[in-house]
Amino acid sequence: MSEMAIGMVGLGVMGRNLALNMEEKGFSVAAWDAWPEPVDRFIAASAGKQIAGFKDLEAFVKSIQRPRRIILLVKAGEVVDKTIAALRPFLEPGDLIVDGGNEYYVNTERRAKELAAVGLRFFGMGVSGGELGARNGPSMMPGGDRDGYKELEPILTKIAAQHPDGPCVTYIGPGGSGHYVKMIHNGIEYGDMQLIAEAYDVLKTLGGMSNAELADVFDAWNHVELESYLIEITAKILRKKDPDGKGDLVDMIVDATAQKGTGKWTVQEAAELGVPVSTIATSVEARELSFARTERLAAAKLLPGPDPAKAPALDAEGKKRLIEDVRAALYAAKACSYAQGMNLLRVASETHQWDLHLGELARIWQAGCIIRAKFLGRIKAAFDRDTTLTNLLLDPSFRDELASRQDGWRRVVAAAAMAGLPLLTTGASLGYYDSSRRERLPANLTQAQRDFFGSHTYKRLDKEGDFHTEWSAT
Ligand code: 6PG
């Protein structure tokens, strides 16, 4: 076989599928894994294809045409460092490594610097879409130097999900910006998932709806403004029967959500840059609260409050109204979440001088990735209309949409609060919305307290300067 067009390191689910996708689009792939079994399986499964599997790292590297393009799809963190260290002796100046995992962008920047010092190029590329996305067309977020992108572009544009607005990949920016953008994508993903879970809980617990009825509602929502991959799979999940014959599978699943870190990093970054991300932050906390299941089960016996399951039953008309209110709440809360994520990206872009194009990011999230949604076309349009938009909610079309939905949103949050049903994230979004639009917040009192106990000073409304008061003096 002549020299291979690209190398793939790591033959787990993502690596395997991305390699098959590249081969199908006409690029020959050299593949290597640290373990022999995945290599054997991959070779067996790719007979007749332009794929060569290797167990020997040097032979793998030598088989790739120069300057080499090598994609890593291995576990984030230490494994990436070890893999790079193993590859390095065989690489030559100008070779380009692309880390396609969910890596913390600070690690990506460190590696790019270390490798640049020896003439090697390093890209951090977010890849979204899971197994099927990798195989059929993911959304990809590559960050690194622009010349390097030119060498990757012919492959990436072909293997990406294809949307009428173009392939779902773009040059994100320099440094760790590719992984940063993927991190925010995942923060938004956490928010979307929690908002959907809360909508499900309200309709099931307060609306008394069955899983089959709920699946019909989510199916219907997938044909209106809420159309999205996560809504689509929610309907499918709700219809799935338990293979052990114990009713609907969703009812048999333990209510404890795990996480790998990208949501947490989004919140850490937001705190670092002083950008409020209430929806995303509470979606991470909702996972933490769910995961502390043993404590929750104990507290459930001790902490008093209304039992949401005992909320008065709704008649058909009441159910219909509730469905419409939840639909409004879900959309409005989701808009707040995207506003927060985009805002964080805007500030990060200014801070790191990445020159991110928010409309372009919304464009490449329209297909292939987990947060793909019809609504992203509207976000793209908002940032295309006004590239200096400081908050998505200020775009006239989003402003109108939130205005028309807020009554329903408020009714859902209030009804849930009275019934003792937690809407941590839907409620936090509403708090974010109301805080963002309130002329005077109670921060005057907080400032006074800071000055009282720590002489931190305060500003006055009626004159310039910093003031301090001896609050205890009579
Ligand atoms: C994607 C997903 C993917 C993965 C996350 C899940 O865009 O394809 O985000 O990257 O599912 O790592 O993260 P948690 O395990 O933290 O939920």
Side-chain angles (χ1 to χ4, degrees):
M1 212 176 265
S2 57
E3 285 190 318
M4 311 305 276
I6 192 156
M8 173 63 70
V9 167
L11 294 175
V13 174
M14 293 298 285
R16 229 166 41 221
N17 282 293
L18 204 65
L20 290 172
N21 181 357
M22 290 192 287
E23 198 275 342
E24 195 177 84
K25 304 292 157 29
F27 303 99
S28 52
V29 184
W32 178 87
D33 194 280
W35 305 97
E37 295 80 18
V39 180
D40 288 334
R41 267 201 308 270
F42 193 55
I43 294 173
S46 43
K49 296 188 194 296
Q50 289 284 298
I51 285 179
F54 292 87
K55 294 176 188 167
D56 179 80
L57 196 54
E58 182 173 6
F60 161 77
V61 173
K62 295 269 158 67
S63 75
I64 306 165
Q65 71 191 40
R66 286 183 290 163
R68 299 180 177 92
R69 294 169 291 194
I70 299 176
I71 300 184
L72 312 186
L73 272 163
V74 299
K75 199 170 181 298
E78 213 187 320
V79 179
V80 175
D81 284 314
K82 285 193 172 146
T83 309
I84 294 171
L87 280 166
R88 260 180 71 171
F90 312 119
L91 297 174
E92 291 166 80
D95 288 351
L96 198 166
I97 301 176
V98 181
D99 175 9
N102 276 331
E103 182 56 274
Y104 185 43
Y105 81 103
V106 174
N107 291 337
T108 306
E109 302 212 317
R110 168 180 56 78
R111 290 172 189 140
K113 270 203 194 98
E114 286 167 6
L115 291 174
V118 292
L120 296 171
R121 295 172 299 160
F122 189 72
F123 259 67
M125 179 169 81
V127 179
S128 178
E131 183 177 348
L132 283 180
R135 181 66 184 87
N136 303 319
S139 172
M140 287 169 291
M141 292 145 254
D145 73 276
R146 201 179 268 278
D147 292 343
Y149 181 68
K150 286 276 158 250
E151 289 168 37
L152 294 168
E153 196 173 23
I155 300 181
L156 298 184
T157 49
K158 281 235 172 63
I159 65 169
Q162 304 295 320
H163 183 271
D165 285 339
C168 291
V169 63
T170 192
Y171 174 64
I172 299 291
S177 61
H179 275 148
Y180 196 98
V181 168
K182 176 57 169 45
M183 172 185 80
I184 305 297
H185 164 286
N186 281 26
I188 292 174
E189 173 185 303
Y190 277 47
D192 273 355
M193 291 169 82
Q194 179 60 22
L195 290 173
I196 292 174
E198 291 180 3
Y200 149 80
D201 200 6
V202 173
L203 294 177
K204 182 184 167 81
T205 312
L206 302 186
M209 295 174 68
S210 67
N211 291 328
E213 285 176 300
L214 284 163
D216 288 344
V217 168
F218 281 100
D219 265 340
W221 285 355
N222 198 35
H223 292 97
V224 291
E225 75 288 353
L226 287 168
E227 181 186 321
S228 63
Y229 171 70
L230 286 168
I231 293 280
E232 180 194 327
I233 66 167
T234 302
K236 289 187 177 149
I237 289 167
L238 289 163
R239 287 193 207 287
K240 193 80 181 171
K241 293 290 165 206
D242 176 17
D244 288 354
K246 295 185 180 151
D248 296 331
L249 181 55
V250 71
D251 295 330
M252 298 308 298
I253 297 178
V254 173
D255 52 330
T257 311
Q259 51 181 314
K260 292 205 196 82
T262 43
K264 180 184 78 182
W265 298 335
T266 303
V267 178
Q268 283 171 342
E269 276 302 312
E272 198 61 51
L273 296 179
V275 178
V277 291
S278 324
T279 309
I280 298 171
T282 50
S283 70
V284 175
E285 287 169 5
R287 288 194 184 197
E288 289 157 1
L289 281 158
S290 80
F291 211 70
R293 191 160 177 268
T294 314
E295 290 89 326
R296 233 174 349 104
L297 293 178
K301 296 196 179 69
L302 298 172
L303 299 178
D307 179 354
K310 298 208 175 105
L314 297 177
D315 60 15
E317 196 44 45
K319 259 192 202 180
K320 231 165 107 184
R321 273 202 306 270
L322 185 69
I323 293 169
E324 281 316 297
D325 281 355
V326 172
R327 172 178 165 183
L330 181 52
Y331 188 86
K334 185 176 156 96
C336 287
S337 182
Y338 282 69
Q340 294 158 21
M342 289 305 200
N343 211 10
L344 182 49
L345 285 170
R346 179 180 59 80
V347 176
S349 177
E350 282 162 14
T351 308
H352 299 283
Q353 296 173 341
W354 282 335
D355 192 26
L356 299 180
H357 293 264
L358 301 186
E360 183 65 353
L361 299 183
R363 179 187 74 72
I364 65 162
W365 290 343
Q366 288 182 102
C369 67
I370 303 299
I371 64 169
R372 62 185 181 261
K374 185 176 173 181
F375 154 92
L376 278 154
R378 320 225 17 254
I379 299 183
K380 172 187 177 304
F383 285 107
D384 286 351
R385 260 194 303 274
D386 179 1
T387 51
T388 62
L389 190 64
T390 51
N391 188 324
L392 183 64
L393 300 181
L394 298 177
D395 173 76
S397 77
F398 277 96
R399 222 162 56 202
D400 291 349
E401 286 190 331
L402 262 71
S404 64
R405 283 173 174 81
Q406 62 175 296
D407 287 351
W409 189 11
R410 291 181 197 286
R411 276 193 295 271
V412 169
V413 172
M418 292 313 292
L421 184 99
L423 291 187
L424 200 60
T425 301
T426 313
S429 300
L430 184 56
Y432 172 83
Y433 177 69
D434 283 334
S435 297
S436 302
R437 70 188 188 88
R438 185 133 189 243
E439 263 182 45
R440 188 155 168 83
L441 291 167
N444 51 328
L445 179 62
T446 315
Q447 267 308 99
Q449 289 169 333
R450 292 180 71 242
D451 188 55
F452 190 115
F453 60 67
S455 301
H456 294 294
T457 74
Y458 56 89
K459 294 197 186 295
R460 290 182 57 101
L461 289 170
D462 54 351
K463 47 188 174 185
E464 289 294 310
D466 295 313
F467 297 88
H468 168 64
T469 295
E470 288 304 319
W471 293 92
S472 300
T474 44

